[in-house]
Amino acid sequence: MLYAILSEDAPDTLEVRRSARPAHLARIRLLRDQGRLVLAGPHPAIDAEDPGAAGFTGSLVVAEFSSLEAAKTWAAADPYTGVGVYARVVVKPFYKVLP
């Protein structure tokens, strides 16, 4: 089943986010390589593809996991969580209708 992992950044964590990004992306790429990733990306803090110093407000990952518990376990191990980038993470089942 698919699950949406919605993460909200803590304030003033852009530099920490940047330093943890390679490890974070490695985990996302593994999902992609396993054929389990639907989409993933950050939420810019402003209406721009590159928000610069404004940074990001969080991230979204939609991927396949064996259960809600497995998705929550995966999300909890994210490097961004470990270094304090994410202040809040919500994991919920996701049903893809389109495309």
Side-chain angles (χ1 to χ4, degrees):
M1 178 157 187
L2 296 178
Y3 295 89
I5 301 169
L6 302 133
S7 307
E8 295 178 13
D9 285 14
D12 302 316
T13 56
L14 181 58
E15 290 308 314
V16 177
R17 177 186 258 274
R18 286 180 176 152
S19 67
R21 188 169 190 254
H24 169 77
L25 288 179
R27 294 180 82 240
I28 303 293
R29 287 185 184 112
L30 183 57
L31 286 176
R32 178 200 62 199
D33 294 349
Q34 294 170 343
R36 297 169 45 202
L37 181 67
V38 174
L39 63 89
H43 300 284
I46 60 173
D47 189 14
E49 284 187 33
D50 180 359
F56 301 92
T57 61
S59 302
L60 170 64
V61 173
V62 177
E64 183 179 343
F65 292 92
S66 60
S67 67
L68 178 59
E69 196 57 42
K72 287 180 177 182
T73 298
W74 186 90
D78 193 292
Y80 283 171
T81 300
V83 297
V85 171
Y86 290 154
R88 180 175 173 226
V89 177
V90 175
V91 181
K92 53 173 115 178
F94 180 79
Y95 184 77
K96 182 180 174 186
V97 174
L98 294 170

